[in-house]
Amino acid sequence: KAMQPLEPVINYLVDPNSGLKQVMTEFLNAVMLFEAYLQSGALPYERTHQRKAHRNGTRPRTLKTRIGEITLDKPQFREFPFESSVFERYCRVEQALLMIIAESYIQGVSTRRMEELVKNFGLNKLSASEVSRLCKILDEKVEEFLKRPIEVKIRYLLVDATYFKVRCGVQYKTRALLVVVGIREDGLREILGASIAESEDSGFWLTLFRSLKDRGLEGVELVISDAHKGIQKAVESSFLGASWQYCHVHFSRAVLDSISNKDKQEIADKLKEASDDEMKMQELGKELRDRGYDPAAETIDRFRFDLWNYKAYPRVHWKRIRTTNVIERINKELKRRSRPVGAFPSDKSLMRLAGCIMININEEWITGKKYLSMDEE
């Protein structure tokens, strides 16, 4: 029911401690609603050309204060993350990003861009020992998150990798960030693990999968990924009895990769039309071969048996278990956050930022609505 204006004050007079918590909760929630208005450019349900984003409900978020811990309703947007000054000046992600900048500066990356960032954030006042201390605090939080027990059975496993530039001595090398997301038997999503590797070879994936099983991963029936041979090999040996599903988005990209620009849109439309029909996909493969697109036809022939495994599961799940799109938000947010820096000063700094982003996203997933309804079988 709606709270009466004087209710928090009356509660404060009866019980100062809990009453003050209620007053602070109401006030800070109101502050965030105003921030949401400023960031979105519109009030809830308001029709205006000034709107930049649409509301997507709220998520509970705890905040430690001098009067104890309170739970606030943090607004959510569909188009981009909501940011609030209500919480600590620098949340985990901001802290991790600042430490990346500070590390780069201390290591001697003295580009004009980096010097400007250091100056803007006032990081030149931090000593190497202070940066090390702050990094250690964040690293411990990330390590705790990545090593926590997996306590609920995971039915669907989604795996993907994205690449980043990392400084190794005087060189910059490409590193793969391997990410594993699970859809639990209760329908919620959970980020299960991540690691940094030199490539996507099977050995790196095997090591990551083994660590997940050691932490309690079980119940996997379907694994969704791209068609990297290293992933396929690791999946086959790690999850006996489970099926492998080729991500439809990655499959479409692979087919279209060898199609000329003038025919790309036409073939993309036909791929979309055939995405739920095995016979149409076979016909498309034959058509592509007849038109001289042998590599695209071979991709269809090679993977057409791995495109339909999702159909063994409830129809209401199909849309979300035939791609790895659920991991895209993690990758996009990491790319967005790391844009000011360009390259990471170390593997640890990459995992520090990635881990903090994953912690935040995972908190939203676990406290939010179910991703899949497991009641309809």
Side-chain angles (χ1 to χ4, degrees):
K1 65 183 179 69
M3 179 174 289
Q4 298 301 316
L6 290 178
E7 186 176 336
V9 178
I10 294 173
N11 289 340
Y12 173 72
L13 295 175
V14 175
D15 184 346
N17 187 51
S18 63
L20 188 55
K21 282 186 178 182
Q22 189 176 2
V23 170
M24 183 173 286
T25 299
E26 291 295 307
F27 172 72
L28 293 180
N29 279 335
V31 169
M32 286 194 290
L33 287 176
F34 183 67
E35 288 178 320
Y37 161 70
L38 294 178
Q39 292 175 40
S40 65
L43 295 170
Y45 309 111
E46 180 184 8
R47 294 186 177 181
T48 171
H49 295 297
Q50 306 301 318
R51 181 182 291 280
K52 303 173 186 175
H54 296 81
R55 308 296 177 95
N56 191 27
T58 61
R59 290 285 186 273
R61 173 79 184 271
T62 58
L63 177 67
K64 291 183 179 179
T65 72
R66 63 181 180 81
I67 58 173
E69 193 173 85
I70 60 176
T71 301
L72 302 175
D73 297 321
K74 182 182 177 184
Q76 303 290 309
F77 295 142
R78 293 176 186 170
E79 290 80 0
F80 52 79
F82 168 75
E83 296 181 357
S84 175
S85 60
V86 166
F87 300 99
E88 58 269 26
R89 185 174 180 183
Y90 300 117
C91 69
R92 283 184 297 251
V93 176
E94 276 75 25
Q95 288 175 336
L97 182 57
L98 289 176
M99 289 306 100
I100 290 171
I101 297 170
E103 276 187 288
S104 298
Y105 181 73
I106 289 171
Q107 289 182 16
V109 183
S110 56
T111 63
R112 182 178 301 175
R113 185 182 186 185
M114 190 62 65
E115 288 174 353
E116 188 66 25
L117 287 170
V118 169
K119 181 180 178 181
N120 289 342
F121 289 117
L123 297 175
N124 54 335
K125 298 176 183 178
L126 288 175
S127 66
S129 60
E130 181 68 6
V131 170
S132 178
R133 185 185 69 82
L134 294 173
C135 288
K136 183 180 179 182
I137 294 173
L138 289 172
D139 290 343
E140 288 173 352
K141 291 181 180 178
V142 171
E143 184 178 11
E144 181 183 0
F145 172 71
L146 294 177
K147 290 185 176 180
R148 73 195 188 283
I150 300 173
E151 299 176 333
V152 181
K153 285 187 177 180
I154 304 298
R155 188 171 188 180
Y156 306 124
L157 204 66
L158 302 100
V159 301
D160 200 6
T162 188
Y163 292 85
F164 299 91
K165 288 289 185 183
V166 178
R167 194 178 191 214
C168 303
V170 296
Q171 293 181 309
Y172 284 94
K173 297 184 178 181
T174 301
R175 290 283 195 258
L177 176 66
L178 316 180
V179 180
V180 180
V181 169
I183 302 179
R184 307 176 351 173
E185 63 179 0
D186 59 8
L188 291 172
R189 293 170 289 177
E190 185 173 355
I191 299 173
L192 302 177
S195 66
I196 296 173
E198 296 177 4
S199 69
E200 287 191 72
D201 287 348
S202 61
F204 294 110
W205 283 109
L206 280 168
T207 300
L208 179 55
F209 292 155
R210 191 178 301 117
S211 70
L212 295 177
K213 292 167 81 171
D214 290 342
R215 287 167 44 208
L217 175 63
E218 58 180 29
V220 176
E221 298 179 21
L222 184 70
V223 182
I224 307 98
S225 76
D226 64 18
H228 196 286
K229 291 182 180 179
I231 296 180
Q232 292 182 68
K233 186 176 179 180
V235 167
E236 287 174 4
S237 58
S238 299
F239 303 106
L240 297 176
S243 299
W244 175 68
Q245 168 68 46
Y246 189 5
C247 167
H248 278 219
V249 173
H250 286 92
F251 169 73
S252 295
R253 289 174 187 164
V255 173
L256 294 172
D257 189 53
S258 59
I259 304 295
S260 65
N261 289 333
K262 66 182 180 67
D263 294 330
K264 214 155 224 171
Q265 187 58 55
E266 176 199 350
I267 303 304
D269 292 339
K270 289 186 176 182
L271 270 172
K272 186 175 182 180
E273 184 181 349
S275 63
D276 284 327
D277 192 315
E278 191 171 355
M279 290 300 297
K280 286 185 178 180
M281 191 64 75
Q282 289 184 44
E283 291 170 3
L284 178 58
K286 184 178 179 182
E287 177 187 340
L288 290 173
R289 197 177 298 279
D290 292 341
R291 293 170 64 171
Y293 289 124
D294 289 355
E298 288 170 6
T299 298
I300 291 177
D301 290 342
R302 183 153 46 107
F303 293 111
R304 63 187 180 89
F305 297 112
D306 300 305
L307 291 173
W308 322 106
N309 286 325
Y310 70 91
K311 289 192 174 184
Y313 300 93
R315 181 178 286 272
V316 293
H317 297 181
W318 288 5
K319 185 178 179 180
R320 288 179 164 172
I321 63 172
R322 66 183 186 183
T323 72
T324 57
N325 287 351
V326 71
I327 301 182
E328 286 303 307
R329 180 185 171 188
I330 302 170
N331 295 339
K332 286 181 180 178
E333 185 67 2
L334 187 51
K335 295 288 188 183
R336 184 181 77 87
R337 288 288 190 171
S338 60
R339 198 172 297 128
V341 186
F344 291 86
S346 64
D347 284 349
K348 271 193 172 183
S349 66
L350 169 56
M351 183 54 77
R352 187 178 306 126
L353 180 61
C356 290
I357 288 173
M358 288 188 286
I359 290 172
N360 286 356
I361 292 175
N362 199 65
E363 285 176 353
E364 292 181 12
W365 286 356
I366 295 299
T367 59
K369 295 180 181 178
K370 291 184 177 180
Y371 187 64
L372 292 178
S373 171
M374 294 299 192
D375 298 328
E376 300 180 48
E377 294 294 330

